[in-house]
Amino acid sequence: MMNVNELTIKEFHSGLTEKKFSAKEATGEFLKAIDAKDGEIGAYLSIFGEEALAAASVVDEKIASGDGISEIAGVPMALKDNMLVKGMKTTAASKMLENYVASYDATVVRKLKDANAVLLGKANMDEFAMGSSTEYSAFKKTKNPYDLSRVPGGSSGGSAAAVAAGLAMAALGSDTSGSICLPASFCGIVGLRPTYGAVSRSGLIAMASSLDQIGPMAKTVEDAEILFRHFAGKDALDSTTVNHVYGAGEHLDDARGLKIGLPKEFFVSGLSREVEEGLEFAVQKFKKLGIEFREIELPHAKYALSCYYIIMPAEVSSNLARFDGVRYQGVAGMRNEAKSLSDLYLATRGTGFGPEPRRRILLGTFVLSAGYYDAYYAKAQKVRRLIKNDFDEAFKNVDAIMAPVAPAPAFRFGEKISDPMAMYLSDIFTTQTNLAGIPALAVPIKQYSLGGGELPVGFQLIGNRFEENRLFALGKLYEKN
Ligand code: GLN
């Protein structure tokens, strides 16, 4: 059998319908690879062995009886462990939810199941999606498949590492401020953070609700696009979703006349050589294809990080209030010792949350408190609007924006963990799009071969609201040439 672990969704679908292999065989290969390699990589927190094989058999039966199958039928996938799968553990990589079993499917999960995708298991992440390296997981370290001494990025680090190491054909991640684009870039894969409202958040464990979005992580732009179409769309269970029809997608055979903006605020000194050279390489390639580049200004971009680290903790502090030791099963025995209600809260929240969620709950409670609300939270909301206005202005003159994803490639374990500010700075180029609610697509600059010794670097293409199709078209153009 051909090496299914290396196939793209597109190639897999052809192989499957041409009966070169069965869905069950393919899933078996992925489970074998996980068995052999995940001890070292640490991408998964739980594996759905039997359920995955059963879901694959359903696809084989459909094919045998001549029924049509979806383009993602049988595709072995990983899900970030903050998305609910009925009957399965969903921990958000926190002790607080160590024993929590989901009672319903997230909307994205239901849509994937309806399309007969195969869910291999749940991927590691930073606790409650807070972090940029996956080092804040309460359970394990995930290693970057390109260099095991380095982090995979975060917070969707397990999803990215699983795809990069051939332990999943594609994955879902969530992004509140770069948690899809950053690990995608560090692991040499493609990731899309969709427009806010494009994808339902129902069944996603909330971090900061006005910023969170679920998106695809895959080997190619084409795969990310295929996947995205299967779970985007309006959902009655999430009133922030918008009824936008993405249609059949776009292809750019001739890109002449398209304009890409380069924000001058993002091309500052301090970028690593790899990022600077990589971006230059990508710009030149697009130029050869007839695309015009323009310098643009995003004057408020420099306030984005400060703005994010006020709004996000404010939302975190209220979202995480629900974890009180009464409603969800966390660390075993956590509630037994308590003599009063406040004792129970203290015992649960003191043991259940790791240091990073605790830091953010404290920060968030502070910026929302009566004396400081106007000075911090209300002001940050105004700055958020200015950041969004900058993008609106920029998109009057350009079709898309190109920028680095992070200042440098994957860093080493331990390099930033003792300094929260250093870790927060990883978000310096990603947080603007989340605050503005617009889509960003991370694309690897070159497709490095695994073990080739070089660290992957990506660039991001940023579009206006609901312009994912244009980003995909540009990304596919880059990939093909
Ligand atoms: N680095 C961001 C943070 O720590 C990542 C958040 C996210 O996108 N989930 O808040």
Side-chain angles (χ1 to χ4, degrees), residues 394-418:
F395 286 122
K396 287 182 187 158
N397 301 311
V398 294
D399 301 292
I401 294 172
M402 192 166 153
V405 176
F411 46 89
R412 288 182 198 283
F413 286 101
E415 221 173 273
K416 298 187 197 278
I417 197 146
S418 54

mmCIF file of all heavy atoms in Angstrom, residues 394-418:
data_model
loop_
_atom_site.group_PDB
_atom_site.id
_atom_site.type_symbol
_atom_site.label_atom_id
_atom_site.label_comp_id
_atom_site.label_asym_id
_atom_site.label_seq_id
_atom_site.Cartn_x
_atom_site.Cartn_y
_atom_site.Cartn_z
ATOM 1 N N ALA A 394 -7.019 50.137 4.692
ATOM 2 C CA ALA A 394 -6.010 49.459 3.852
ATOM 3 C C ALA A 394 -6.673 48.685 2.714
ATOM 4 O O ALA A 394 -6.192 48.701 1.581
ATOM 5 C CB ALA A 394 -5.172 48.519 4.715
ATOM 6 N N PHE A 395 -7.791 48.023 3.013
ATOM 7 C CA PHE A 395 -8.422 47.204 1.977
ATOM 8 C C PHE A 395 -9.121 48.038 0.890
ATOM 9 O O PHE A 395 -9.608 47.486 -0.083
ATOM 10 C CB PHE A 395 -9.393 46.179 2.600
ATOM 11 C CG PHE A 395 -8.675 45.036 3.270
ATOM 12 C CD1 PHE A 395 -8.871 44.751 4.616
ATOM 13 C CD2 PHE A 395 -7.776 44.250 2.554
ATOM 14 C CE1 PHE A 395 -8.193 43.706 5.236
ATOM 15 C CE2 PHE A 395 -7.095 43.205 3.156
ATOM 16 C CZ PHE A 395 -7.302 42.934 4.510
ATOM 17 N N LYS A 396 -9.129 49.355 1.060
ATOM 18 C CA LYS A 396 -9.616 50.185 -0.056
ATOM 19 C C LYS A 396 -8.586 50.200 -1.175
ATOM 20 O O LYS A 396 -8.903 50.480 -2.323
ATOM 21 C CB LYS A 396 -9.866 51.622 0.433
ATOM 22 C CG LYS A 396 -11.087 51.738 1.303
ATOM 23 C CD LYS A 396 -11.309 53.191 1.708
ATOM 24 C CE LYS A 396 -12.445 53.276 2.718
ATOM 25 N NZ LYS A 396 -12.375 54.505 3.505
ATOM 26 N N ASN A 397 -7.326 49.934 -0.825
ATOM 27 C CA ASN A 397 -6.243 50.056 -1.812
ATOM 28 C C ASN A 397 -5.565 48.748 -2.191
ATOM 29 O O ASN A 397 -4.829 48.698 -3.163
ATOM 30 C CB ASN A 397 -5.164 51.012 -1.281
ATOM 31 C CG ASN A 397 -5.742 52.381 -0.992
ATOM 32 O OD1 ASN A 397 -6.440 52.946 -1.827
ATOM 33 N ND2 ASN A 397 -5.486 52.889 0.201
ATOM 34 N N VAL A 398 -5.752 47.712 -1.399
ATOM 35 C CA VAL A 398 -5.097 46.430 -1.721
ATOM 36 C C VAL A 398 -6.104 45.293 -1.621
ATOM 37 O O VAL A 398 -7.125 45.402 -0.934
ATOM 38 C CB VAL A 398 -3.891 46.139 -0.781
ATOM 39 C CG1 VAL A 398 -2.774 47.138 -0.995
ATOM 40 C CG2 VAL A 398 -4.321 46.100 0.683
ATOM 41 N N ASP A 399 -5.775 44.162 -2.310
ATOM 42 C CA ASP A 399 -6.677 43.009 -2.307
ATOM 43 C C ASP A 399 -6.397 42.078 -1.142
ATOM 44 O O ASP A 399 -7.257 41.311 -0.721
ATOM 45 C CB ASP A 399 -6.518 42.235 -3.627
ATOM 46 C CG ASP A 399 -6.830 43.120 -4.812
ATOM 47 O OD1 ASP A 399 -7.994 43.484 -4.955
ATOM 48 O OD2 ASP A 399 -5.902 43.467 -5.576
ATOM 49 N N ALA A 400 -5.170 42.101 -0.685
ATOM 50 C CA ALA A 400 -4.789 41.264 0.465
ATOM 51 C C ALA A 400 -3.560 41.892 1.096
ATOM 52 O O ALA A 400 -2.942 42.792 0.509
ATOM 53 C CB ALA A 400 -4.492 39.841 0.023
ATOM 54 N N ILE A 401 -3.230 41.416 2.294
ATOM 55 C CA ILE A 401 -2.061 41.936 2.999
ATOM 56 C C ILE A 401 -1.153 40.756 3.307
ATOM 57 O O ILE A 401 -1.634 39.658 3.618
ATOM 58 C CB ILE A 401 -2.502 42.644 4.307
ATOM 59 C CG1 ILE A 401 -3.324 43.889 3.963
ATOM 60 C CG2 ILE A 401 -1.312 43.002 5.183
ATOM 61 C CD1 ILE A 401 -3.990 44.564 5.158
ATOM 62 N N MET A 402 0.148 40.986 3.199
ATOM 63 C CA MET A 402 1.080 39.904 3.514
ATOM 64 C C MET A 402 1.964 40.336 4.672
ATOM 65 O O MET A 402 2.366 41.506 4.748
ATOM 66 C CB MET A 402 1.939 39.643 2.281
ATOM 67 C CG MET A 402 2.728 38.379 2.365
ATOM 68 S SD MET A 402 3.336 38.046 0.691
ATOM 69 C CE MET A 402 4.780 37.141 1.126
ATOM 70 N N ALA A 403 2.263 39.402 5.567
ATOM 71 C CA ALA A 403 3.044 39.748 6.755
ATOM 72 C C ALA A 403 3.739 38.510 7.310
ATOM 73 O O ALA A 403 3.337 37.381 6.985
ATOM 74 C CB ALA A 403 2.113 40.335 7.825
ATOM 75 N N PRO A 404 4.756 38.707 8.138
ATOM 76 C CA PRO A 404 5.325 37.550 8.839
ATOM 77 C C PRO A 404 4.287 37.000 9.823
ATOM 78 O O PRO A 404 3.366 37.727 10.210
ATOM 79 C CB PRO A 404 6.513 38.127 9.616
ATOM 80 C CG PRO A 404 6.582 39.581 9.323
ATOM 81 C CD PRO A 404 5.390 39.976 8.524
ATOM 82 N N VAL A 405 4.436 35.740 10.212
ATOM 83 C CA VAL A 405 3.553 35.173 11.233
ATOM 84 C C VAL A 405 4.146 35.444 12.619
ATOM 85 O O VAL A 405 3.438 35.786 13.554
ATOM 86 C CB VAL A 405 3.362 33.651 11.022
ATOM 87 C CG1 VAL A 405 2.533 33.052 12.147
ATOM 88 C CG2 VAL A 405 2.709 33.371 9.676
ATOM 89 N N ALA A 406 5.450 35.272 12.712
ATOM 90 C CA ALA A 406 6.151 35.493 13.986
ATOM 91 C C ALA A 406 7.528 36.058 13.658
ATOM 92 O O ALA A 406 8.001 35.909 12.535
ATOM 93 C CB ALA A 406 6.266 34.192 14.752
ATOM 94 N N PRO A 407 8.168 36.697 14.625
ATOM 95 C CA PRO A 407 9.482 37.292 14.336
ATOM 96 C C PRO A 407 10.584 36.278 14.032
ATOM 97 O O PRO A 407 11.579 36.621 13.417
ATOM 98 C CB PRO A 407 9.817 38.055 15.636
ATOM 99 C CG PRO A 407 8.535 38.153 16.391
ATOM 100 C CD PRO A 407 7.676 37.014 15.968
ATOM 101 N N ALA A 408 10.417 35.020 14.456
ATOM 102 C CA ALA A 408 11.480 34.025 14.273
ATOM 103 C C ALA A 408 10.870 32.640 14.143
ATOM 104 O O ALA A 408 9.702 32.433 14.481
ATOM 105 C CB ALA A 408 12.427 34.074 15.474
ATOM 106 N N PRO A 409 11.661 31.656 13.664
ATOM 107 C CA PRO A 409 11.146 30.282 13.618
ATOM 108 C C PRO A 409 10.988 29.701 15.032
ATOM 109 O O PRO A 409 11.281 30.378 16.027
ATOM 110 C CB PRO A 409 12.221 29.507 12.842
ATOM 111 C CG PRO A 409 13.205 30.488 12.352
ATOM 112 C CD PRO A 409 13.021 31.752 13.120
ATOM 113 N N ALA A 410 10.591 28.436 15.089
ATOM 114 C CA ALA A 410 10.328 27.770 16.377
ATOM 115 C C ALA A 410 11.472 27.958 17.365
ATOM 116 O O ALA A 410 12.646 27.803 17.007
ATOM 117 C CB ALA A 410 10.108 26.278 16.132
ATOM 118 N N PHE A 411 11.125 28.285 18.608
ATOM 119 C CA PHE A 411 12.155 28.448 19.637
ATOM 120 C C PHE A 411 12.322 27.157 20.437
ATOM 121 O O PHE A 411 11.570 26.208 20.261
ATOM 122 C CB PHE A 411 11.852 29.649 20.542
ATOM 123 C CG PHE A 411 10.425 29.760 21.035
ATOM 124 C CD1 PHE A 411 10.029 29.152 22.214
ATOM 125 C CD2 PHE A 411 9.471 30.482 20.306
ATOM 126 C CE1 PHE A 411 8.721 29.255 22.677
ATOM 127 C CE2 PHE A 411 8.151 30.585 20.766
ATOM 128 C CZ PHE A 411 7.782 29.969 21.943
ATOM 129 N N ARG A 412 13.355 27.149 21.296
ATOM 130 C CA ARG A 412 13.641 25.940 22.062
ATOM 131 C C ARG A 412 12.771 25.850 23.318
ATOM 132 O O ARG A 412 12.340 26.869 23.847
ATOM 133 C CB ARG A 412 15.119 25.923 22.494
ATOM 134 C CG ARG A 412 16.044 25.673 21.349
ATOM 135 C CD ARG A 412 17.495 25.608 21.814
ATOM 136 N NE ARG A 412 18.374 25.787 20.672
ATOM 137 C CZ ARG A 412 18.639 24.840 19.781
ATOM 138 N NH1 ARG A 412 18.128 23.629 19.935
ATOM 139 N NH2 ARG A 412 19.410 25.083 18.749
ATOM 140 N N PHE A 413 12.597 24.636 23.796
ATOM 141 C CA PHE A 413 11.869 24.441 25.052
ATOM 142 C C PHE A 413 12.527 25.256 26.152
ATOM 143 O O PHE A 413 13.752 25.307 26.233
ATOM 144 C CB PHE A 413 11.853 22.957 25.451
ATOM 145 C CG PHE A 413 10.908 22.162 24.608
ATOM 146 C CD1 PHE A 413 11.377 21.386 23.554
ATOM 147 C CD2 PHE A 413 9.540 22.208 24.848
ATOM 148 C CE1 PHE A 413 10.499 20.673 22.754
ATOM 149 C CE2 PHE A 413 8.656 21.495 24.049
ATOM 150 C CZ PHE A 413 9.131 20.734 23.006
ATOM 151 N N GLY A 414 11.709 25.869 26.964
ATOM 152 C CA GLY A 414 12.237 26.588 28.127
ATOM 153 C C GLY A 414 12.703 27.990 27.831
ATOM 154 O O GLY A 414 12.919 28.783 28.735
ATOM 155 N N GLU A 415 12.833 28.331 26.533
ATOM 156 C CA GLU A 415 13.401 29.636 26.176
ATOM 157 C C GLU A 415 12.538 30.810 26.663
ATOM 158 O O GLU A 415 13.052 31.846 27.043
ATOM 159 C CB GLU A 415 13.539 29.712 24.658
ATOM 160 C CG GLU A 415 14.822 30.352 24.180
ATOM 161 C CD GLU A 415 14.932 30.227 22.662
ATOM 162 O OE1 GLU A 415 15.445 29.183 22.180
ATOM 163 O OE2 GLU A 415 14.511 31.149 21.966
ATOM 164 N N LYS A 416 11.225 30.642 26.628
ATOM 165 C CA LYS A 416 10.360 31.778 26.957
ATOM 166 C C LYS A 416 9.436 31.507 28.137
ATOM 167 O O LYS A 416 8.710 32.400 28.573
ATOM 168 C CB LYS A 416 9.496 32.151 25.738
ATOM 169 C CG LYS A 416 10.339 32.587 24.545
ATOM 170 C CD LYS A 416 9.468 33.102 23.434
ATOM 171 C CE LYS A 416 10.197 33.162 22.116
ATOM 172 N NZ LYS A 416 11.025 34.336 21.934
ATOM 173 N N ILE A 417 9.486 30.298 28.649
ATOM 174 C CA ILE A 417 8.446 29.928 29.611
ATOM 175 C C ILE A 417 8.558 30.668 30.941
ATOM 176 O O ILE A 417 7.565 30.888 31.628
ATOM 177 C CB ILE A 417 8.400 28.392 29.802
ATOM 178 C CG1 ILE A 417 7.081 27.981 30.451
ATOM 179 C CG2 ILE A 417 9.582 27.864 30.605
ATOM 180 C CD1 ILE A 417 6.563 26.666 29.988
ATOM 181 N N SER A 418 9.759 31.103 31.279
ATOM 182 C CA SER A 418 9.892 31.767 32.577
ATOM 183 C C SER A 418 9.572 33.264 32.485
ATOM 184 O O SER A 418 9.558 33.959 33.483
ATOM 185 C CB SER A 418 11.305 31.571 33.118
ATOM 186 O OG SER A 418 12.205 32.011 32.141
#
